[in-house]
């Protein structure tokens, strides 16, 4: 399936631990932010990764990442992270993700028009068996939920 899904949005605040000595978000932390947003995206369907692993033996691993850094985020910025499924396969998903700085820091949709795009990434995630780390199909119940929004 190659149709893109509707964006899932999740907000996060930049903390001191996220920044380097220059007060700018350390580049690798965008991957952490994207990971958290994908985890919350899964939760929005009622799935938790630990529960999936325990009940189905399925876990998700990052296979590939590509991030373009466009503008820096700084301490106390409020960011909006987006998640879009670009391609859905039997045992993998390709995501398009973005990090936006919200101008007011209050998360109001009206002020989001002036948000600044900070980073854009494409992430490929594979579903693997927790015991063998060999590819396996995405659990059917989760796949059905994803297909509804994609």
């Amino acid at each position: 399936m190659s149709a893109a899904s509707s964006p899932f949005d999740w907000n996060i605040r930049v903390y001191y631990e996220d920044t380097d000595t220059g007060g700018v978000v350390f580049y690798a932390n965008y991957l952490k932010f994207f990971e958290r947003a994908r985890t919350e995206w899964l939760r929005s369907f009622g799935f938790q990764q630990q529960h999936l692993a325990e009940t189905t033996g399925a876990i998700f691993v990052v296979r590939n990442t590509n991030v373009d850094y466009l503008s820096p985020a700084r301490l106390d910025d409020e960011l909006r992270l987006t998640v879009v499924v670009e391609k859905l396969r039997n045992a993998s998903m390709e995501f398009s993700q973005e990090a936006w700085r919200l101008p007011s820091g209050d998360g109001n949709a009206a002020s989001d028009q002036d948000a600044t795009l900070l980073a854009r990434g494409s992430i490929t995630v594979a579903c693997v068996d927790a015991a063998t780390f060999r590819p396996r199909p995405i659990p059917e119940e989760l796949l059905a939920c994803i297909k509804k929004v994609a």
Side-chain angles (χ1 to χ4, degrees), residues 12-59:
I12 189 170
R13 175 91 45 204
V14 174
Y15 295 105
Y16 187 77
E17 67 187 21
D18 300 320
T19 62
D20 59 19
T21 57
V24 172
V25 170
F26 182 64
Y27 74 94
N29 285 337
Y30 286 95
L31 292 171
K32 291 180 182 183
F33 297 161
F34 289 161
E35 174 78 27
R36 292 174 193 168
R38 289 192 311 276
T39 297
E40 295 305 322
W41 170 79
L42 269 179
R43 284 182 200 273
S44 76
F45 296 119
F47 293 92
Q48 294 181 19
Q49 293 197 51
Q50 184 65 35
H51 182 72
L52 272 174
E54 291 169 357
T55 60
T56 68
I59 61 173

Side-chain angles (χ1 to χ4, degrees), residues 94-116:
E94 289 182 26
F95 294 95
S96 171
Q97 293 193 253
E98 295 177 337
W100 294 80
R101 179 180 29 253
L102 299 177
S104 65
D106 62 10
N108 289 332
S111 64
D112 289 356
Q113 295 172 1
D114 297 321
T116 303

